[in-house]
Amino acid sequence: MESEKIIIDEGKFIPHLSVDCVIFGFHGEQLKVLLPKVKSLDLWSLPGGYVMKDEDIEAAAQRILEERTGVTDIYLEQFYIFGKANRSTGETLKKVLLANNFAIDEKSWVFERFVSVGYYALVDFSKVNTKIGIYDEVCEWHDIHQLPDLAFDHAEITLKALETLRFMLDDKLIGLNLLPDTFTMKELQILYETILDKPLRRDNFQRKILSMGILERVEKKFTGAAHKAPYLYKFIK
Amino acid sequence: MESEKIIIDEGKFIPHLSVDCVIFGFHGEQLKVLLPKVKSLDLWSLPGGYVMKDEDIEAAAQRILEERTGVTDIYLEQFYIFGKANRSTGETLKKVLLANNFAIDEKSWVFERFVSVGYYALVDFSKVNTKIGIYDEVCEWHDIHQLPDLAFDHAEITLKALETLRFMLDDKLIGLNLLPDTFTMKELQILYETILDKPLRRDNFQRKILSMGILERVEKKFTGAAHKAPYLYKFIK
């Protein structure tokens, strides 16, 4: 049985431009990245797509992320544009479209050179419910140290996002976006150690974080054993 | 007399994509930006242009900068992509092309929406010899506090470049690119104060800079009055 072809209306999009998203989550003392796997192919990639002609790039990133992963309404920040002329070829994309029964002219810009805008996001792992898009078979979290082979230059894009995350960690305390609403000092330190991939001294870490004046200690509730429980903190918005 | 039209071969370029460069220099205790002024119009803009279909974006930025300003071989770094759908209209560009006797189809993508990649550079003012491109009447340095009205959203792009420069100043000491090969501690402090637009405490500043271990003191030459001259420093490469 031959199923019907799905027509891609390439005229809707800005040619030669794409968006790729690196979504970080933190769970079980691992920094994780959310990756869809393309249907019928053993091909993992960052969630990505095209920008419509009348669409802000940031809105495109939000839309693509929702379509490919089910994740909505999260803070995304662009971190780099990947603009080398030889960074992608059309071969992989041809396989993807063929495997998914898409119809598109072989001479389309879709198979030519792409400039890609990289976005990263930090999400509270516990609040994310993923679903899958029309291209994809699954959408799963992967430990940053055990990523599958990624299509195109998506391994390089992921690494650049990680470097940006590390660089920004001190200045903006953006790492807090990866934690639940309340957390212990130890959990925060483990998060930092995981992202930076190195141990930190507990006393230095605690002094530095508290001196920033952005954490508030949550009052302990009386439980009868409260004196043994560690303090919980929350972010002062 | 009607002069011959100049034909723009728009097919050479990636549609809807441009590059804009913010070139910072430092002179006379002012932070300056290098701006070309379009021929026959009272229109200042950042030096910018299109990306060829087989060209790395970074190579395009270097080429555009040389064509528009004569500046070659400088360190450029991308800092943001400006991707709002309504950020530019074709009206201003039509005026520019008309005033310069260019011939181009009115329905070209050139007059539609553009995504622009912003690059900034820090140059040693004393080493820059500007020349002008075919579009331009002059190319001049302007004090960041007294910029002329800029076309399109180029004032916003310039501000974002300045914010990036301020943010990066401590981490990368990139400000040293704005100084000659040797400089006094006072000159370095004035540079920082100018960029950050606030006074700094001399003792704190000196201690912090020297603790980074990236400056080397140049031996004084015997001049008979050497004890009065301040020490010169240079960057340890």
Side-chain angles (χ1 to χ4, degrees):
Chain A
M1 188 192 92
E2 198 181 333
S3 57
E4 216 170 322
K5 294 278 183 192
I6 303 164
I7 311 288
I8 295 185
D9 180 11
E10 55 175 301
K12 277 201 314 195
F13 302 104
I14 297 183
H16 304 284
L17 187 69
S18 64
V19 162
D20 288 302
C21 305
V22 183
I23 311 301
F24 291 109
F26 182 65
H27 185 70
E29 304 194 6
Q30 290 180 348
L31 184 65
K32 291 170 183 281
V33 179
L34 187 61
L35 299 172
K37 176 171 171 287
V38 175
K39 249 183 219 168
S40 320
L41 289 177
D42 189 22
L43 184 83
W44 297 89
S45 69
L46 295 171
Y50 310 135
V51 181
M52 287 193 280
K53 282 192 169 160
D54 59 353
E55 188 179 35
D56 292 352
I57 291 191
E58 192 153 322
Q62 292 279 0
R63 174 183 53 76
I64 289 162
L65 205 61
E66 179 166 4
E67 286 172 4
R68 295 287 302 272
T69 70
V71 175
T72 58
D73 198 26
I74 60 172
Y75 177 74
L76 280 168
E77 186 138 26
Q78 55 152 279
F79 64 95
Y80 202 73
I81 181 161
F82 297 85
K84 284 209 190 296
N86 64 359
R87 61 172 282 274
S88 59
T89 68
E91 292 313 308
T92 307
L93 199 58
K94 273 183 191 159
K95 278 190 223 161
V96 172
L97 296 176
L98 203 65
N100 284 278
N101 220 24
F102 284 104
I104 192 162
D105 184 348
E106 288 225 354
K107 287 186 184 145
S108 165
W109 54 261
V110 163
F111 303 116
E112 294 175 0
R113 176 247 183 118
F114 265 89
V115 168
S116 189
V117 187
Y119 278 83
Y120 75 90
L122 307 171
V123 298
D124 175 356
F125 184 91
S126 67
K127 286 187 185 150
V128 173
N129 290 306
T130 61
K131 65 180 186 196
I132 53 168
I134 48 169
Y135 284 97
D136 305 313
E137 197 172 286
V138 293
C139 183
E140 293 175 351
W141 291 100
H142 292 258
D143 180 359
I144 190 95
H145 293 297
Q146 291 181 309
L147 295 180
D149 282 344
L150 293 174
F152 314 109
D153 57 351
H154 289 188
E156 185 189 333
I157 295 178
T158 307
L159 180 62
K160 183 89 181 173
L162 179 61
E163 286 171 359
T164 307
L165 172 58
R166 286 177 177 160
F167 181 72
M168 302 299 267
L169 202 55
D170 275 354
D171 280 287
K172 294 200 174 177
L173 277 177
I174 52 175
L176 292 177
N177 290 305
L178 290 161
L179 291 176
D181 294 338
T182 60
F183 44 85
T184 67
M185 190 56 71
K186 188 175 173 192
E187 284 167 339
L188 185 59
Q189 183 172 345
I190 290 172
L191 170 71
Y192 268 65
E193 290 177 334
T194 305
I195 293 174
L196 298 172
D197 211 9
K198 64 179 183 192
L200 300 171
R201 283 192 48 164
R202 194 169 74 96
D203 47 353
N204 286 352
F205 178 78
Q206 186 155 344
R207 191 175 335 111
K208 184 174 158 187
I209 292 289
L210 290 178
S211 74
M212 289 172 155
I214 50 131
L215 291 188
E216 186 181 341
R217 208 160 72 178
V218 179
E219 285 302 312
K220 279 187 184 180
K221 287 182 189 140
F222 179 73
T223 63
H227 62 286
K228 287 186 182 167
Y231 283 108
L232 286 173
Y233 291 86
K234 67 177 183 185
F235 182 48
I236 305 172
K237 309 235 167 183
Chain B
M1 187 193 92
E2 198 182 333
S3 58
E4 217 169 321
K5 293 277 182 194
I6 303 165
I7 311 288
I8 296 185
D9 180 10
E10 55 176 301
K12 276 200 316 195
F13 301 104
I14 298 182
H16 304 283
L17 187 70
S18 64
V19 163
D20 288 302
C21 305
V22 183
I23 312 302
F24 291 110
F26 182 65
H27 185 71
E29 304 194 7
Q30 290 179 348
L31 183 66
K32 291 169 183 279
V33 179
L34 187 60
L35 298 173
K37 176 170 171 289
V38 175
K39 250 182 218 167
S40 321
L41 289 177
D42 190 23
L43 183 83
W44 296 90
S45 69
L46 294 171
Y50 310 134
V51 181
M52 288 193 278
K53 282 192 168 159
D54 60 351
E55 187 180 36
D56 292 351
I57 291 192
E58 190 153 323
Q62 292 280 359
R63 174 182 55 74
I64 289 162
L65 204 62
E66 179 166 4
E67 285 171 6
R68 295 288 301 273
T69 69
V71 174
T72 59
D73 198 25
I74 60 172
Y75 177 74
L76 280 168
E77 186 138 27
Q78 55 152 278
F79 65 96
Y80 202 72
I81 180 161
F82 297 85
K84 283 208 189 299
N86 65 358
R87 61 172 284 272
S88 58
T89 68
E91 292 313 308
T92 306
L93 199 57
K94 272 184 191 158
K95 278 190 221 157
V96 172
L97 296 176
L98 203 66
N100 285 276
N101 220 24
F102 284 104
I104 192 161
D105 184 348
E106 289 224 354
K107 287 187 183 142
S108 165
W109 54 261
V110 163
F111 302 116
E112 294 175 0
R113 175 249 184 117
F114 265 89
V115 168
S116 189
V117 187
Y119 278 83
Y120 75 91
L122 307 170
V123 298
D124 175 355
F125 184 92
S126 67
K127 285 185 185 150
V128 172
N129 290 306
T130 61
K131 66 180 184 195
I132 53 169
I134 48 168
Y135 285 97
D136 305 312
E137 197 172 285
V138 294
C139 183
E140 292 175 351
W141 291 101
H142 292 257
D143 180 0
I144 190 95
H145 292 298
Q146 292 181 309
L147 295 181
D149 282 344
L150 293 174
F152 314 109
D153 58 350
H154 289 189
E156 185 189 333
I157 294 178
T158 306
L159 181 62
K160 183 89 180 172
L162 179 62
E163 286 170 1
T164 307
L165 172 58
R166 285 177 178 158
F167 181 73
M168 302 299 267
L169 203 56
D170 274 356
D171 280 288
K172 294 201 173 175
L173 277 178
I174 52 175
L176 293 176
N177 290 305
L178 290 161
L179 291 176
D181 294 338
T182 60
F183 44 86
T184 65
M185 189 57 70
K186 188 175 172 192
E187 284 167 339
L188 184 60
Q189 184 173 344
I190 290 172
L191 170 71
Y192 269 65
E193 289 178 334
T194 305
I195 293 174
L196 298 173
D197 211 10
K198 64 179 183 191
L200 301 170
R201 282 192 48 163
R202 193 169 74 96
D203 47 353
N204 285 353
F205 177 78
Q206 185 155 344
R207 189 174 338 107
K208 184 175 158 187
I209 292 289
L210 290 177
S211 75
M212 289 172 154
I214 50 130
L215 292 186
E216 187 180 340
R217 206 159 76 176
V218 180
E219 286 301 313
K220 280 190 181 175
K221 287 182 188 140
F222 180 73
T223 64
H227 63 287
K228 288 185 183 168
Y231 282 108
L232 287 173
Y233 290 86
K234 67 178 183 182
F235 183 46
I236 304 171
K237 310 236 164 181

